[in-house]
Amino acid sequence: MAAAPKAPDRATVIVVVGAAGETEFGDEFAKDAARWATAGATTGANLLTLGLATADTTTDREKLQAALAAEPKEGVGELWLVLIGHGTFDGKEAKFNLRGPDLAASDLAEWLKPFRRPLALIDTASASAPFLVKLTGP
């Protein structure tokens, strides 16, 4: 789904749909993403959904990094980052499973450091608790 034109004081919702693994999970992930799209449209938020379109040469991880880089770092409009999918934790690093390279919690923490606006992360993946250690902030 394409991003709506950005309004600086409106919330932005970035929904990231991870690798499904099995068809049944992919169907559920797509339904969850559609619910977030409806909620975003209802509230007038800027909405970007990643991970549902046909894969191309740019990985979903790169698309997320670019989307976060393009977002205003300051302001009153909230940034909501919603991760829908599976995750892993090897005892050291939590990861969110994407098509292509996975998203490590430490990488996401680095990408979010410049933000000085209200930010919420909703991680629905398994192994999401270790993300808290890396991403907790004021």
Side-chain angles (χ1 to χ4, degrees):
M1 177 175 288
K6 291 184 183 182
D9 294 338
R10 289 194 342 214
T12 296
V13 179
I14 301 175
V15 178
V16 183
V17 179
E22 301 289 333
T23 303
E24 67 184 279
F25 293 118
D27 293 343
E28 288 303 313
F29 296 168
K31 287 178 189 175
D32 289 344
R35 289 181 190 108
W36 277 99
T38 299
T42 301
T43 63
N46 299 311
L47 178 70
L48 174 62
T49 301
L50 303 173
L52 291 178
T54 303
D56 57 26
T57 58
T58 306
T59 68
D60 290 342
R61 186 178 182 283
E62 292 168 326
K63 289 175 185 174
L64 174 59
Q65 185 176 16
L68 291 172
E71 277 297 312
K73 304 306 181 261
E74 297 186 17
V76 296
E78 301 96 358
L79 172 60
W80 290 59
L81 180 57
V82 182
L83 306 178
I84 301 171
H86 300 294
T88 59
F89 181 60
D90 65 3
K92 297 177 185 168
E93 183 74 66
K95 293 185 178 180
F96 178 70
N97 302 140
L98 295 170
R99 300 177 302 178
D102 292 337
L103 173 63
S106 57
D107 290 335
L108 183 57
E110 194 63 34
W111 299 346
L112 295 176
K113 270 186 186 177
F115 285 89
R116 300 290 177 255
R117 61 190 267 209
L119 189 141
L121 172 71
I122 297 94
D123 185 350
T124 68
S126 53
S128 61
F131 270 73
L132 289 174
V133 175
K134 301 279 185 177
L135 297 173
T136 299

